[in-house]
Amino acid sequence: MITVKNSREIELMRESCRIAKETLEFVGKRIRAGMTTKEVDELVYKYITSCGAYPSELGYEGYPASSCVSVNEVVVHGVPSDRIILDGDIVSVDIVAEKNGYHGDCARTYLIGNVSEEKKRLVKVTEECFFKAVEGLRAGVPLYDIGYAVQTHAEANGYGVVRELTGHGIGKSMHEDPSVPNYGKRGTGMRLKAGMTICIEPMINMGTRRVFVDNSDGWTVVTADGKPAAHYENTVLIKEDGVEILTL
């Protein structure tokens, strides 16, 4: 069921989204080569709980950590572990903070040390995909215009767009309707309504769009060809005259 938030709910979401945004800023200043992905996750837990909030991912359907930390060929849902982050890696950190019963969700892909120009370009284009998706976005726009914008920009740059995973609605639950794919036919899908809150999250692969889930943990999503992937996400409020990006 799609929920439209009232002004009180939107204010509560602004608070959880502010905490989520600040958590990634906190992590971004500290993540470095030589750390383990588990140490990154500890930073996430420390910051979110210091704000009187809860890391929504911890315990979600049995997920064992406070964040998803995905390195290079891992697209999303990388389970924090003893994997050491190396110079030249790209690392996406995806977090959700819950406070006062509402969630805020965002992700960034960080460049670690001396990153290749190929990887830098992938990260840059992935972020651009998000901003292409919110250009002209407002109440009344068809849902799949979002995916069309992401897909068009990514594929024009020679990249694969993941189809098995999507963005989503968000509010009292971390994942709500509707699903927000990163591909689609322009002019199709439900019409967005003012007061909807959705997560737009391009997941873009340097090579094939195809992915698989690592059976060793049942969570980690990896590119089928082993090439790097990048992820960029924000929680977005739909308004009559545009959008408000709650996690920026």
Side-chain angles (χ1 to χ4, degrees):
M1 183 178 71
I2 292 168
T3 62
V4 172
K5 279 70 176 180
N6 60 36
S7 58
R8 173 186 165 275
E9 291 177 302
I10 290 166
E11 284 307 310
L12 292 172
M13 287 200 65
R14 283 197 179 101
E15 174 69 2
S16 57
C17 286
R18 178 188 63 80
I19 292 167
K21 177 202 73 164
E22 290 179 354
T23 301
L24 287 186
E25 291 171 348
F26 180 79
V27 170
K29 291 174 182 175
R30 290 161 178 81
I31 191 169
R32 56 176 173 76
M35 293 179 74
T36 65
T37 57
K38 189 174 183 180
E39 287 173 325
V40 174
D41 185 65
E42 289 166 355
L43 290 175
V44 170
Y45 180 85
K46 176 182 177 181
Y47 193 88
I48 291 177
T49 56
S50 76
C51 297
Y54 184 79
S56 311
E57 293 174 10
L58 183 59
Y60 177 77
E61 295 186 355
Y63 188 74
S66 300
S67 61
C68 299
V69 186
S70 305
V71 182
N72 294 336
E73 76 286 352
V74 179
V75 184
V76 287
H77 302 167
V79 179
S81 68
D82 292 330
R83 179 172 181 168
I84 296 172
I85 297 169
L86 303 176
D87 183 76
D89 283 346
I90 57 173
V91 183
S92 78
V93 182
D94 184 359
I95 67 109
V96 189
E98 180 270 319
K99 190 169 184 179
N100 298 318
Y102 288 84
H103 301 261
D105 187 357
C106 50
R108 303 285 183 267
T109 299
Y110 299 105
L111 308 174
I112 308 300
N114 299 297
V115 175
S116 70
E117 291 303 316
E118 269 192 324
K119 286 182 178 178
K120 286 180 183 176
R121 181 171 174 270
L122 173 67
V123 172
K124 177 175 179 287
V125 170
T126 300
E127 183 173 336
E128 289 172 353
C129 284
F130 171 85
F131 288 100
K132 292 285 185 183
V134 296
E135 280 181 15
L137 199 60
R138 63 186 185 282
V141 170
L143 174 67
Y144 296 144
D145 280 18
I146 295 171
Y148 174 83
V150 172
Q151 181 181 12
T152 300
H153 189 62
E155 291 181 351
N157 281 277
Y159 297 138
V161 179
V162 175
R163 298 192 177 211
E164 291 79 3
L165 301 135
T166 70
H168 50 90
I170 187 169
K172 286 184 176 179
S173 297
M174 180 164 61
H175 293 129
E176 295 182 352
D177 291 333
S179 293
V180 184
N182 290 308
Y183 63 96
K185 184 179 178 182
R186 194 175 197 172
T188 64
M190 65 162 290
R191 300 277 170 170
L192 299 172
K193 298 177 181 178
M196 288 177 64
T197 45
I198 60 174
C199 293
I200 299 174
E201 50 177 315
M203 291 163 270
I204 308 300
N205 298 343
M206 188 178 287
T208 179
R209 69 172 179 83
R210 302 194 180 281
V211 298
F212 67 90
V213 178
D214 186 340
N215 289 329
S216 67
D217 61 29
W219 286 101
T220 304
V221 178
V222 182
T223 59
D225 57 9
K227 291 184 178 180
H231 183 204
Y232 185 87
E233 176 183 16
N234 284 302
T235 300
V236 174
L237 168 66
I238 305 298
K239 304 172 79 170
E240 290 290 355
D241 59 352
V243 298
E244 180 181 344
I245 303 171
L246 299 175
T247 43
L248 279 182

